[in-house]
Amino acid sequence: QQQVKQSPQSLIVQKGGISIINCAYENTAFDYFPWYQQFPGKGPALLIAIRPDVSEKKEGRFTISFNKSAKQFSLHIMDSQPGDSATYFCAAIYGGATNKLIFGTGTLLAVQP
Amino acid sequence: DTGVSQNPRHKITKRGQNVTFRCDPISEHNRLYWYRQTLGQGPEFLTYFQNEAQLEKSRLLSDRFSAERPKGSFSTLEIQRTEQGDSAMYLCASSRLAGLDTGELFFGEGSRLTVL
């Protein structure tokens, strides 16, 4: 039972382009939606996060767009750089303070120079 | 380095053997989590501790798996009678109680298990 669905599985973008990764969830008990970035051989690291009462959050070149009614959210990477090449995971947290993350399946991003 | 430390980084074992992984969290973090990640998938929650208490276990954690955090500091994850399906990356993460609703778990680099 996959509670957070992520697409695409892989993505190739030219340097300077916009990378877009989409996620959808089913459980309305989720109340916090972080994105994690993972480089090969490393553990995932928090990139940016959003609450469902906010429609958009921007941090530098990274923006999360959130559509509560559609139960969808997406990560936009503006001016993508080769150093952004990594696997990106969307995630969701259940209501309450457990910090138990439910991850999507991941998107392997390759930014070509 | 004061990040989450995991050992060993890679373990190759034969089916049926027991293996143990160790995780040293960031020192002031009360919460400690174990996740499993297989190739091409996101990490899957296995269990978590608050201090020395194990508060939740996933259905993924069969009876062959046991996790401990005896003094509320480091944790061990033991897999008994390993099976080929146990081959995966085992990730440990920690967080502060104060940061429970920020989604920020600090992950180690993982322990990769290969069962032959």
PDB file of all heavy atoms in Angstrom, chain B residues 26-48:
ATOM      1  N   ILE B  26      23.017  11.651  16.693  1.00  0.00           N
ATOM      2  CA  ILE B  26      23.523  12.943  17.156  1.00  0.00           C
ATOM      3  C   ILE B  26      23.241  13.028  18.653  1.00  0.00           C
ATOM      4  O   ILE B  26      22.137  12.682  19.103  1.00  0.00           O
ATOM      5  CB  ILE B  26      22.860  14.091  16.372  1.00  0.00           C
ATOM      6  CG1 ILE B  26      23.285  13.995  14.906  1.00  0.00           C
ATOM      7  CG2 ILE B  26      23.208  15.445  16.972  1.00  0.00           C
ATOM      8  CD1 ILE B  26      22.565  14.937  13.972  1.00  0.00           C
ATOM      9  N   SER B  27      24.217  13.463  19.409  1.00  0.00           N
ATOM     10  CA  SER B  27      24.220  13.246  20.859  1.00  0.00           C
ATOM     11  C   SER B  27      23.005  13.810  21.601  1.00  0.00           C
ATOM     12  O   SER B  27      22.496  13.184  22.512  1.00  0.00           O
ATOM     13  CB  SER B  27      25.492  13.812  21.482  1.00  0.00           C
ATOM     14  OG  SER B  27      25.593  15.194  21.215  1.00  0.00           O
ATOM     15  N   GLU B  28      22.486  14.949  21.211  1.00  0.00           N
ATOM     16  CA  GLU B  28      21.365  15.520  21.967  1.00  0.00           C
ATOM     17  C   GLU B  28      19.998  15.092  21.444  1.00  0.00           C
ATOM     18  O   GLU B  28      18.972  15.566  21.914  1.00  0.00           O
ATOM     19  CB  GLU B  28      21.461  17.052  21.961  1.00  0.00           C
ATOM     20  CG  GLU B  28      21.306  17.686  20.602  1.00  0.00           C
ATOM     21  CD  GLU B  28      22.624  17.906  19.892  1.00  0.00           C
ATOM     22  OE1 GLU B  28      23.585  17.171  20.200  1.00  0.00           O
ATOM     23  OE2 GLU B  28      22.685  18.787  19.019  1.00  0.00           O
ATOM     24  N   HIS B  29      19.961  14.174  20.481  1.00  0.00           N
ATOM     25  CA  HIS B  29      18.695  13.755  19.887  1.00  0.00           C
ATOM     26  C   HIS B  29      18.036  12.644  20.687  1.00  0.00           C
ATOM     27  O   HIS B  29      18.644  11.622  20.989  1.00  0.00           O
ATOM     28  CB  HIS B  29      18.923  13.288  18.445  1.00  0.00           C
ATOM     29  CG  HIS B  29      19.146  14.412  17.492  1.00  0.00           C
ATOM     30  ND1 HIS B  29      19.272  14.223  16.137  1.00  0.00           N
ATOM     31  CD2 HIS B  29      19.245  15.740  17.696  1.00  0.00           C
ATOM     32  CE1 HIS B  29      19.441  15.389  15.547  1.00  0.00           C
ATOM     33  NE2 HIS B  29      19.439  16.333  16.467  1.00  0.00           N
ATOM     34  N   ASN B  30      16.761  12.847  21.014  1.00  0.00           N
ATOM     35  CA  ASN B  30      16.028  11.866  21.802  1.00  0.00           C
ATOM     36  C   ASN B  30      15.420  10.762  20.955  1.00  0.00           C
ATOM     37  O   ASN B  30      15.235   9.644  21.411  1.00  0.00           O
ATOM     38  CB  ASN B  30      14.885  12.552  22.565  1.00  0.00           C
ATOM     39  CG  ASN B  30      15.381  13.683  23.430  1.00  0.00           C
ATOM     40  OD1 ASN B  30      15.489  14.823  22.980  1.00  0.00           O
ATOM     41  ND2 ASN B  30      15.687  13.392  24.672  1.00  0.00           N
ATOM     42  N   ARG B  31      15.068  11.114  19.724  1.00  0.00           N
ATOM     43  CA  ARG B  31      14.395  10.148  18.864  1.00  0.00           C
ATOM     44  C   ARG B  31      15.407   9.462  17.930  1.00  0.00           C
ATOM     45  O   ARG B  31      16.306  10.106  17.398  1.00  0.00           O
ATOM     46  CB  ARG B  31      13.334  10.847  18.010  1.00  0.00           C
ATOM     47  CG  ARG B  31      12.114  11.303  18.802  1.00  0.00           C
ATOM     48  CD  ARG B  31      11.105  10.194  18.912  1.00  0.00           C
ATOM     49  NE  ARG B  31       9.938  10.559  19.712  1.00  0.00           N
ATOM     50  CZ  ARG B  31       8.769  10.905  19.223  1.00  0.00           C
ATOM     51  NH1 ARG B  31       8.605  10.963  17.920  1.00  0.00           N
ATOM     52  NH2 ARG B  31       7.765  11.189  20.036  1.00  0.00           N
ATOM     53  N   LEU B  32      15.223   8.163  17.736  1.00  0.00           N
ATOM     54  CA  LEU B  32      16.077   7.390  16.833  1.00  0.00           C
ATOM     55  C   LEU B  32      15.186   6.487  16.001  1.00  0.00           C
ATOM     56  O   LEU B  32      14.282   5.829  16.542  1.00  0.00           O
ATOM     57  CB  LEU B  32      17.108   6.573  17.630  1.00  0.00           C
ATOM     58  CG  LEU B  32      18.160   5.827  16.816  1.00  0.00           C
ATOM     59  CD1 LEU B  32      19.485   5.778  17.590  1.00  0.00           C
ATOM     60  CD2 LEU B  32      17.716   4.442  16.422  1.00  0.00           C
ATOM     61  N   TYR B  33      15.435   6.461  14.700  1.00  0.00           N
ATOM     62  CA  TYR B  33      14.596   5.727  13.757  1.00  0.00           C
ATOM     63  C   TYR B  33      15.454   4.761  12.934  1.00  0.00           C
ATOM     64  O   TYR B  33      16.597   5.059  12.608  1.00  0.00           O
ATOM     65  CB  TYR B  33      13.922   6.692  12.769  1.00  0.00           C
ATOM     66  CG  TYR B  33      13.114   7.793  13.405  1.00  0.00           C
ATOM     67  CD1 TYR B  33      13.734   8.908  13.962  1.00  0.00           C
ATOM     68  CD2 TYR B  33      11.728   7.727  13.440  1.00  0.00           C
ATOM     69  CE1 TYR B  33      12.989   9.931  14.535  1.00  0.00           C
ATOM     70  CE2 TYR B  33      10.980   8.742  14.008  1.00  0.00           C
ATOM     71  CZ  TYR B  33      11.621   9.838  14.561  1.00  0.00           C
ATOM     72  OH  TYR B  33      10.878  10.840  15.136  1.00  0.00           O
ATOM     73  N   TRP B  34      14.856   3.646  12.573  1.00  0.00           N
ATOM     74  CA  TRP B  34      15.450   2.734  11.607  1.00  0.00           C
ATOM     75  C   TRP B  34      14.523   2.652  10.392  1.00  0.00           C
ATOM     76  O   TRP B  34      13.307   2.500  10.522  1.00  0.00           O
ATOM     77  CB  TRP B  34      15.633   1.334  12.195  1.00  0.00           C
ATOM     78  CG  TRP B  34      16.763   1.210  13.164  1.00  0.00           C
ATOM     79  CD1 TRP B  34      16.691   1.225  14.531  1.00  0.00           C
ATOM     80  CD2 TRP B  34      18.151   1.015  12.852  1.00  0.00           C
ATOM     81  NE1 TRP B  34      17.943   1.065  15.086  1.00  0.00           N
ATOM     82  CE2 TRP B  34      18.856   0.932  14.073  1.00  0.00           C
ATOM     83  CE3 TRP B  34      18.870   0.908  11.659  1.00  0.00           C
ATOM     84  CZ2 TRP B  34      20.224   0.749  14.137  1.00  0.00           C
ATOM     85  CZ3 TRP B  34      20.232   0.722  11.720  1.00  0.00           C
ATOM     86  CH2 TRP B  34      20.899   0.639  12.936  1.00  0.00           C
ATOM     87  N   TYR B  35      15.160   2.765   9.219  1.00  0.00           N
ATOM     88  CA  TYR B  35      14.459   2.626   7.951  1.00  0.00           C
ATOM     89  C   TYR B  35      15.205   1.603   7.096  1.00  0.00           C
ATOM     90  O   TYR B  35      16.399   1.376   7.264  1.00  0.00           O
ATOM     91  CB  TYR B  35      14.435   3.960   7.185  1.00  0.00           C
ATOM     92  CG  TYR B  35      13.386   4.938   7.654  1.00  0.00           C
ATOM     93  CD1 TYR B  35      13.572   5.694   8.797  1.00  0.00           C
ATOM     94  CD2 TYR B  35      12.201   5.104   6.932  1.00  0.00           C
ATOM     95  CE1 TYR B  35      12.597   6.606   9.216  1.00  0.00           C
ATOM     96  CE2 TYR B  35      11.235   6.007   7.343  1.00  0.00           C
ATOM     97  CZ  TYR B  35      11.433   6.750   8.485  1.00  0.00           C
ATOM     98  OH  TYR B  35      10.479   7.638   8.894  1.00  0.00           O
ATOM     99  N   ARG B  36      14.501   1.019   6.148  1.00  0.00           N
ATOM    100  CA  ARG B  36      15.108   0.118   5.181  1.00  0.00           C
ATOM    101  C   ARG B  36      14.851   0.673   3.784  1.00  0.00           C
ATOM    102  O   ARG B  36      13.736   1.119   3.484  1.00  0.00           O
ATOM    103  CB  ARG B  36      14.513  -1.285   5.305  1.00  0.00           C
ATOM    104  CG  ARG B  36      15.106  -2.294   4.341  1.00  0.00           C
ATOM    105  CD  ARG B  36      14.597  -3.688   4.641  1.00  0.00           C
ATOM    106  NE  ARG B  36      13.185  -3.841   4.345  1.00  0.00           N
ATOM    107  CZ  ARG B  36      12.494  -4.939   4.645  1.00  0.00           C
ATOM    108  NH1 ARG B  36      13.090  -5.940   5.254  1.00  0.00           N
ATOM    109  NH2 ARG B  36      11.215  -5.013   4.330  1.00  0.00           N
ATOM    110  N   GLN B  37      15.901   0.653   2.971  1.00  0.00           N
ATOM    111  CA  GLN B  37      15.774   1.159   1.602  1.00  0.00           C
ATOM    112  C   GLN B  37      16.309   0.136   0.618  1.00  0.00           C
ATOM    113  O   GLN B  37      17.457  -0.293   0.709  1.00  0.00           O
ATOM    114  CB  GLN B  37      16.545   2.481   1.457  1.00  0.00           C
ATOM    115  CG  GLN B  37      16.364   3.144   0.108  1.00  0.00           C
ATOM    116  CD  GLN B  37      17.060   4.495   0.011  1.00  0.00           C
ATOM    117  OE1 GLN B  37      18.006   4.773   0.743  1.00  0.00           O
ATOM    118  NE2 GLN B  37      16.586   5.349  -0.887  1.00  0.00           N
ATOM    119  N   THR B  38      15.467  -0.273  -0.316  1.00  0.00           N
ATOM    120  CA  THR B  38      15.893  -1.163  -1.381  1.00  0.00           C
ATOM    121  C   THR B  38      16.094  -0.345  -2.656  1.00  0.00           C
ATOM    122  O   THR B  38      15.602   0.785  -2.767  1.00  0.00           O
ATOM    123  CB  THR B  38      14.880  -2.285  -1.614  1.00  0.00           C
ATOM    124  OG1 THR B  38      13.575  -1.698  -1.815  1.00  0.00           O
ATOM    125  CG2 THR B  38      14.818  -3.203  -0.408  1.00  0.00           C
ATOM    126  N   LEU B  39      16.793  -0.929  -3.602  1.00  0.00           N
ATOM    127  CA  LEU B  39      17.181  -0.215  -4.817  1.00  0.00           C
ATOM    128  C   LEU B  39      15.958   0.328  -5.555  1.00  0.00           C
ATOM    129  O   LEU B  39      15.003  -0.398  -5.807  1.00  0.00           O
ATOM    130  CB  LEU B  39      17.970  -1.161  -5.720  1.00  0.00           C
ATOM    131  CG  LEU B  39      18.758  -0.493  -6.851  1.00  0.00           C
ATOM    132  CD1 LEU B  39      19.816   0.436  -6.279  1.00  0.00           C
ATOM    133  CD2 LEU B  39      19.386  -1.545  -7.758  1.00  0.00           C
ATOM    134  N   GLY B  40      15.996   1.614  -5.828  1.00  0.00           N
ATOM    135  CA  GLY B  40      14.921   2.222  -6.590  1.00  0.00           C
ATOM    136  C   GLY B  40      13.679   2.536  -5.788  1.00  0.00           C
ATOM    137  O   GLY B  40      12.648   2.913  -6.355  1.00  0.00           O
ATOM    138  N   GLN B  41      13.770   2.392  -4.483  1.00  0.00           N
ATOM    139  CA  GLN B  41      12.613   2.671  -3.627  1.00  0.00           C
ATOM    140  C   GLN B  41      12.959   3.719  -2.577  1.00  0.00           C
ATOM    141  O   GLN B  41      14.127   3.954  -2.274  1.00  0.00           O
ATOM    142  CB  GLN B  41      12.150   1.393  -2.926  1.00  0.00           C
ATOM    143  CG  GLN B  41      11.680   0.310  -3.873  1.00  0.00           C
ATOM    144  CD  GLN B  41      10.443   0.724  -4.652  1.00  0.00           C
ATOM    145  OE1 GLN B  41       9.497   1.293  -4.105  1.00  0.00           O
ATOM    146  NE2 GLN B  41      10.442   0.457  -5.949  1.00  0.00           N
ATOM    147  N   GLY B  42      11.925   4.312  -2.015  1.00  0.00           N
ATOM    148  CA  GLY B  42      12.144   5.216  -0.900  1.00  0.00           C
ATOM    149  C   GLY B  42      12.346   4.441   0.388  1.00  0.00           C
ATOM    150  O   GLY B  42      11.977   3.271   0.489  1.00  0.00           O
ATOM    151  N   PRO B  43      12.927   5.089   1.375  1.00  0.00           N
ATOM    152  CA  PRO B  43      13.100   4.417   2.670  1.00  0.00           C
ATOM    153  C   PRO B  43      11.755   4.017   3.277  1.00  0.00           C
ATOM    154  O   PRO B  43      10.774   4.762   3.184  1.00  0.00           O
ATOM    155  CB  PRO B  43      13.785   5.492   3.524  1.00  0.00           C
ATOM    156  CG  PRO B  43      14.443   6.414   2.542  1.00  0.00           C
ATOM    157  CD  PRO B  43      13.523   6.434   1.363  1.00  0.00           C
ATOM    158  N   GLU B  44      11.722   2.838   3.890  1.00  0.00           N
ATOM    159  CA  GLU B  44      10.516   2.340   4.553  1.00  0.00           C
ATOM    160  C   GLU B  44      10.754   2.288   6.061  1.00  0.00           C
ATOM    161  O   GLU B  44      11.763   1.751   6.520  1.00  0.00           O
ATOM    162  CB  GLU B  44      10.168   0.940   4.052  1.00  0.00           C
ATOM    163  CG  GLU B  44       9.818   0.871   2.582  1.00  0.00           C
ATOM    164  CD  GLU B  44       9.636  -0.564   2.128  1.00  0.00           C
ATOM    165  OE1 GLU B  44      10.617  -1.324   2.168  1.00  0.00           O
ATOM    166  OE2 GLU B  44       8.502  -0.919   1.747  1.00  0.00           O
ATOM    167  N   PHE B  45       9.811   2.817   6.797  1.00  0.00           N
ATOM    168  CA  PHE B  45       9.924   2.879   8.245  1.00  0.00           C
ATOM    169  C   PHE B  45       9.919   1.476   8.849  1.00  0.00           C
ATOM    170  O   PHE B  45       9.115   0.615   8.477  1.00  0.00           O
ATOM    171  CB  PHE B  45       8.742   3.682   8.805  1.00  0.00           C
ATOM    172  CG  PHE B  45       8.619   3.632  10.302  1.00  0.00           C
ATOM    173  CD1 PHE B  45       9.403   4.437  11.096  1.00  0.00           C
ATOM    174  CD2 PHE B  45       7.695   2.782  10.904  1.00  0.00           C
ATOM    175  CE1 PHE B  45       9.282   4.397  12.479  1.00  0.00           C
ATOM    176  CE2 PHE B  45       7.564   2.733  12.271  1.00  0.00           C
ATOM    177  CZ  PHE B  45       8.361   3.545  13.071  1.00  0.00           C
ATOM    178  N   LEU B  46      10.843   1.248   9.784  1.00  0.00           N
ATOM    179  CA  LEU B  46      10.889  -0.029  10.499  1.00  0.00           C
ATOM    180  C   LEU B  46      10.475   0.138  11.961  1.00  0.00           C
ATOM    181  O   LEU B  46       9.606  -0.572  12.460  1.00  0.00           O
ATOM    182  CB  LEU B  46      12.305  -0.615  10.445  1.00  0.00           C
ATOM    183  CG  LEU B  46      12.802  -1.078   9.078  1.00  0.00           C
ATOM    184  CD1 LEU B  46      14.229  -1.603   9.193  1.00  0.00           C
ATOM    185  CD2 LEU B  46      11.887  -2.130   8.486  1.00  0.00           C
ATOM    186  N   THR B  47      11.128   1.075  12.662  1.00  0.00           N
ATOM    187  CA  THR B  47      10.855   1.240  14.086  1.00  0.00           C
ATOM    188  C   THR B  47      11.449   2.553  14.569  1.00  0.00           C
ATOM    189  O   THR B  47      12.284   3.143  13.884  1.00  0.00           O
ATOM    190  CB  THR B  47      11.425   0.068  14.900  1.00  0.00           C
ATOM    191  OG1 THR B  47      10.996   0.170  16.269  1.00  0.00           O
ATOM    192  CG2 THR B  47      12.950   0.054  14.874  1.00  0.00           C
ATOM    193  N   TYR B  48      10.971   3.023  15.748  1.00  0.00           N
ATOM    194  CA  TYR B  48      11.637   4.188  16.323  1.00  0.00           C
ATOM    195  C   TYR B  48      11.621   4.137  17.845  1.00  0.00           C
ATOM    196  O   TYR B  48      10.785   3.457  18.462  1.00  0.00           O
ATOM    197  CB  TYR B  48      11.045   5.496  15.789  1.00  0.00           C
ATOM    198  CG  TYR B  48       9.816   6.041  16.480  1.00  0.00           C
ATOM    199  CD1 TYR B  48       9.929   6.970  17.508  1.00  0.00           C
ATOM    200  CD2 TYR B  48       8.547   5.663  16.053  1.00  0.00           C
ATOM    201  CE1 TYR B  48       8.807   7.493  18.112  1.00  0.00           C
ATOM    202  CE2 TYR B  48       7.421   6.196  16.650  1.00  0.00           C
ATOM    203  CZ  TYR B  48       7.548   7.105  17.676  1.00  0.00           C
ATOM    204  OH  TYR B  48       6.426   7.624  18.275  1.00  0.00           O
TER     205      TYR B  48
END
